[in-house]
Amino acid sequence: MIDRLRGVQLTAAFPYVLLVVFALCFAVVPPVMGYEVSSINLFNVGQSFATYAPLALGLALLMIAGEFDLSLAALYGLGAMLAVKTGADSPLTGVLVAVAVAAAVGLVNGLLVTIGGLNSVSVTLGSYIAVSGLLLIISDNASVPYLNYEVGLNLDSVLMTVLSRRSLIAIALFVVVGAVLRFTRWGRDLRAIGGDRRASRVAGVRVRRMLIATFVVAAVLAAVPGALLGYSLSSASPAYGGFPSLVFAITAVLIGGVALSGGQGTALGAAAGVLSLALLRETLAVVAAPSYASDLISGALLTAIAILAAPHLLRGARARRWVNTRPQVSEAAA
């Protein structure tokens, strides 16, 4: 029991320890290698956070509830495309259109998983393929320009040296969702659903309604950063809806302490995971490291997370060593 509690505590602390480690590496490694770190590099970290953090937050909510959504990657790209296509005269209208369509897709996913009793991975894989096809139809398989350049300039203008309006929006989303997750019944019920769905039903939690709402919220959190990215880059491309953005989000959420088994995780931990990966990427970019270096380090981190989340493996290894050495001791005694 003590070993188990130690493993849980270590896993809970891991995202923040990792963030401190990557922050120190960001501050120390480039100067040691003869490279200079400036406020622009910190600004780039904030921009990476703005680009990926809301997507990771939506994924974290679903994983806490014990579900998953592969279609978030496609909704991310669709959000950019719809905003660029419909927001020429009114950027807010473009964002609202992206949010409405994403919410509709999330609603369908939630209904199929809860009422239909289908597996969320298979359902959302189908949604990913369908939304990706819709994205190709809307864009005619080509990049679409956004001619209202002022919107992107305003979103990415430097504020307080290292922030932008886009990164402030991402931070605000984390604050709101994190507060709801931490201090409201909705957050407690969501963790209960992820921990034990049957017991949650017995306790009176409206599981279906909660899960449907979570799928909708996650879809919206994927569409919003996509829409803002389209404005920021003054264009939208079908490539924005690919899996790389989802891979980043999954990695950030896992190293942020959100368990695949459900019932465990916080918005703050997910934010720490996103910042850790953003710092890693910027550090490697400053020192001109090969592009594959980030993938290798991220893979090693995920392996470490898997070990930390399963302390029984370590206990099993100690038990096997004890069994292997026991005959030798007996023979020596004989």
Side-chain angles (χ1 to χ4, degrees), residues 28-101:
V28 173
V29 172
V32 169
M33 298 181 65
Y35 296 92
E36 183 180 356
V37 175
S38 66
S39 60
I40 296 298
N41 300 114
L42 286 174
F43 179 79
N44 291 339
V45 171
Q47 292 297 87
S48 293
F49 184 86
T51 300
Y52 297 109
L55 173 63
L57 180 59
L59 183 64
L61 292 177
L62 282 171
M63 289 173 59
I64 291 172
E67 300 293 348
F68 204 80
D69 192 344
L70 292 170
S71 69
L72 295 182
L75 291 173
Y76 182 80
L78 185 64
M81 187 62 64
L82 290 175
V84 167
K85 295 276 285 187
T86 63
D89 298 324
S90 172
L92 180 59
T93 299
V95 173
L96 292 177
V97 169
V99 166
V101 174

Side-chain angles (χ1 to χ4, degrees), residues 149-198:
Y149 304 112
E150 289 296 325
V151 177
L153 293 175
N154 288 331
L155 282 173
D156 291 337
S157 59
V158 180
L159 302 174
M160 295 178 286
T161 308
V162 298
L163 297 175
S164 68
R165 287 179 177 85
R166 201 154 60 91
S167 59
L168 287 175
I169 291 172
I171 292 172
L173 289 173
F174 265 88
V175 171
V176 172
V177 175
V180 171
L181 195 61
R182 174 67 177 83
F183 298 110
T184 68
R185 180 179 176 179
W186 186 86
R188 294 190 295 271
D189 287 348
L190 195 68
R191 288 194 179 86
I193 291 171
D196 192 331
R197 192 159 299 181
R198 180 176 297 179

